[in-house]
Amino acid sequence: MAMKLISIEEARSRVLAEAHPLPVESRPLAGTLGAVLAEDIVSSHSVPVFDNAGMDGYAVRAQDTVDGSPDSPSRLAIVETIPAGHVLTRVLGQNEAAKIMTGAPVPGGADAVIQSEVVEEVEGRVLVFEAVKPGRNIRRAGEDVMAGDRVLAAGSLLGPAEIGLIASLGRPAVQVHRQPRVAILSTGSELVEVDRPLGPGQIHNSNTYSLQALCRQMGVEPVVMGIVPDDYEATRRLMEAGLAHDVLVTSGGVSVGQYDFVKDVQDELGVTRRLWGVAMKPGKPLAFGVRDRSLVFGLPGNPVSVMVSFELFVRPALLRLMGYRKTTRPLYQAVISEDVTNSDGRVFVVRVRAWREDGVWHVSSTGPQGSGILRSMVGANGLAFIPGGARGVRAGEEVEFLLLREDLEEP
Ligand code: AMP
Ligand code: MG
């Protein structure tokens, strides 16, 4: 099968057509950040469960304070102190008050809490200089959640607020789509591990590290299979083992060189190819297929190609497996700061620095754009797409880009 280049969008839709949400499991709440809920969360009780003080102060009966004024305060006997976590069983009687801490249950009889800052305490009495409105500083039972409320729907993405809300309902575990099991294998006889000195013709294996980090950034802990030399048998053995995972990601060996075995091995192992070749640079030689339920990505070897291909194809697939409906980052329009030529028919994916000025996005290339030049990936917070088959773009024209990192938005 000859390489038949397809567009980025077409390639991504072929990938996503094979990616289905993984089965559901019960997971302890603390491990659910970034997971997608697979059940509706219905509250069995109200939050708060009881009326409680919204301020440190004094629980009072509003009717006992109606005559209070700055010159002639109401004087109420302090019968008890109620710390948070304690319940006062007696009911306040006429002209009685209880000292109360934020979050403590409001005692029977009381219908307002007057904050400490505006009263005086003298010899066991609290002096109230105003008429207190009923309900003041009381957080009502159920004001956040009523028993029986559906507080979150299946399909919700779990972030810190959602996780906190579920915890407030006293739920220790929830049903979520299980995490994808991802295997990472780097191919190349020239590769050595980072803790080894380089021999002649050798380079350090960096793809394993960037791919592992890209997975971890999504909350996915991959299985690192290390390096396999460009040897057909060894590649076949390791890829076979890799196919035991939901996703196998290889880097390198997928082009048309004499020692590029990954595609042949995919074929021999029964991987049905869904695409080979994307009309983009970097990242053209991408071989993607499926075997049983496993997604198999043969990414190119160049370190930037690996990262760009992961962003555009692997990440969306992993998100879909995790149950996400939205799998791509939003695209924005930006004004580009320099001319970029692109005479070739492929989309040029340029590493850029993106920033906003007066409400307008701007992008600027981060430096030399060779597919092996990782330095220009460092400091890039976006990828800009320069259409192929034309003259490229001129400084001041608009291009589409996606924002990779929001922490680098400032110029
Ligand atoms: P390939 O696609 O196998 O021809 O590799 C393309 C380029 O990427 C070659 O220059 C490789 O040496 C380089 N390369 C491949 N794998 C890695 C890796 N794991 N780490 C760093 N560079 C790599
Ligand atoms: Mg290679």
Side-chain angles (χ1 to χ4, degrees):
M1 174 177 154
M3 198 184 279
K4 186 173 173 302
L5 300 189
I6 57 173
S7 71
I8 294 171
E9 294 71 27
E10 169 67 17
R12 186 160 44 227
S13 68
R14 289 193 197 178
V15 167
L16 288 174
E18 305 297 341
H20 309 290
L22 290 168
V24 165
E25 65 179 13
S26 172
R27 193 177 314 159
L29 192 56
T32 59
L33 179 63
V36 174
L37 200 55
E39 60 172 329
D40 289 344
I41 301 292
V42 177
S43 178
S44 58
H45 59 73
S46 300
V47 182
V49 179
F50 47 84
D51 290 359
N52 67 91
M55 291 272 208
D56 294 326
Y58 299 82
V60 300
R61 296 156 22 113
Q63 69 205 67
D64 296 342
T65 67
V66 285
D67 297 327
S69 69
D71 297 332
S72 162
S74 312
R75 295 165 181 272
L76 309 177
I78 301 167
V79 296
E80 201 87 48
T81 296
I82 317 172
H86 284 70
V87 179
L88 184 61
T89 43
R90 65 166 289 189
V91 173
L92 292 190
Q94 196 176 1
N95 292 325
E96 287 183 340
K99 193 166 187 170
I100 191 165
M101 309 303 145
T102 305
V106 175
D111 57 2
V113 170
I114 178 87
Q115 62 269 40
S116 310
E117 291 86 338
V118 299
V119 298
E120 270 175 37
E121 194 182 313
V122 179
E123 290 167 357
R125 290 179 185 278
V126 59
L127 311 190
V128 183
F129 301 92
E130 60 192 291
V132 180
K133 281 217 180 73
R136 179 157 161 194
N137 293 323
I138 290 182
R139 300 190 291 212
R140 292 285 173 206
E143 75 175 26
D144 187 355
V145 175
M146 295 292 275
D149 277 355
R150 187 180 74 161
V151 296
L152 292 168
S156 302
L157 177 57
L158 297 178
E162 288 76 11
I163 291 170
L165 180 60
I166 295 169
S168 78
L169 305 179
R171 291 278 305 259
V174 286
Q175 299 284 319
V176 294
H177 294 280
R178 80 166 166 74
Q179 291 288 73
R181 289 187 291 255
V182 181
I184 296 171
L185 177 64
S186 292
T187 76
S189 295
E190 73 280 28
L191 303 177
V192 292
E193 278 308 353
V194 293
D195 56 355
R196 292 286 151 81
L198 294 179
Q202 294 184 323
I203 63 168
H204 285 125
N205 167 24
S206 64
N207 289 345
T208 292
Y209 290 87
S210 48
L211 285 170
Q212 180 186 40
L214 285 162
C215 288
R216 285 184 171 166
Q217 218 166 36
M218 308 176 56
V220 170
E221 186 57 45
V223 173
V224 169
M225 300 185 73
I227 297 168
V228 62
D230 295 314
D231 170 86
Y232 189 92
E233 261 315 297
T235 304
R236 196 186 60 74
R237 252 193 339 270
L238 281 159
M239 283 179 62
E240 172 81 80
L243 281 166
H245 302 79
D246 300 309
V247 180
L248 168 61
V249 179
T250 61
S251 83
V254 77
S255 202
V256 292
Q258 194 181 337
Y259 299 96
D260 289 340
F261 297 127
V262 167
K263 271 181 63 246
D264 291 345
V265 170
Q266 284 185 358
D267 292 340
E268 188 188 326
L269 293 174
V271 175
T272 309
R273 182 148 309 115
R274 293 290 185 233
L275 69 96
W276 184 41
V278 184
M280 62 187 249
K281 62 180 181 186
K284 176 174 75 165
L286 170 72
F288 167 75
V290 288
R291 195 188 78 171
D292 304 325
R293 307 238 62 188
S294 298
L295 307 182
V296 184
F297 290 90
L299 304 186
N302 277 302
V304 177
S305 312
V306 160
M307 294 192 70
V308 170
S309 310
F310 185 97
E311 168 62 31
L312 298 180
F313 307 110
V314 183
R315 185 174 181 278
L318 296 183
L319 289 176
R320 180 55 53 78
L321 295 181
M322 291 161 77
Y324 282 58
R325 281 174 299 230
K326 184 179 177 324
T327 58
T328 54
R329 299 185 213 264
L331 284 176
Y332 301 106
Q333 293 288 123
V335 177
I336 194 158
S337 312
E338 63 266 285
D339 295 354
V340 179
T341 53
N342 186 23
S343 45
D344 159 328
R346 294 180 282 157
V347 173
F348 188 7
V349 184
V350 179
R351 290 141 254 173
V352 294
R353 180 82 177 178
W355 71 97
R356 237 165 121 84
E357 225 172 84
D358 300 329
V360 176
W361 281 106
H362 296 261
V363 293
S364 173
S365 156
T366 52
Q369 296 285 322
S371 58
I373 301 178
L374 264 183
R375 279 289 286 278
S376 52
M377 202 70 205
V378 173
N381 62 347
L383 295 174
F385 299 90
I386 313 299
R391 65 194 168 92
V393 293
R394 301 273 146 72
E397 290 182 353
E398 291 219 320
V399 296
E400 273 192 325
F401 82 102
L402 61 79
L403 193 62
L404 290 172
R405 300 176 56 169
E406 293 192 2
D407 56 327
L408 290 179
E409 240 172 75
E410 295 304 312

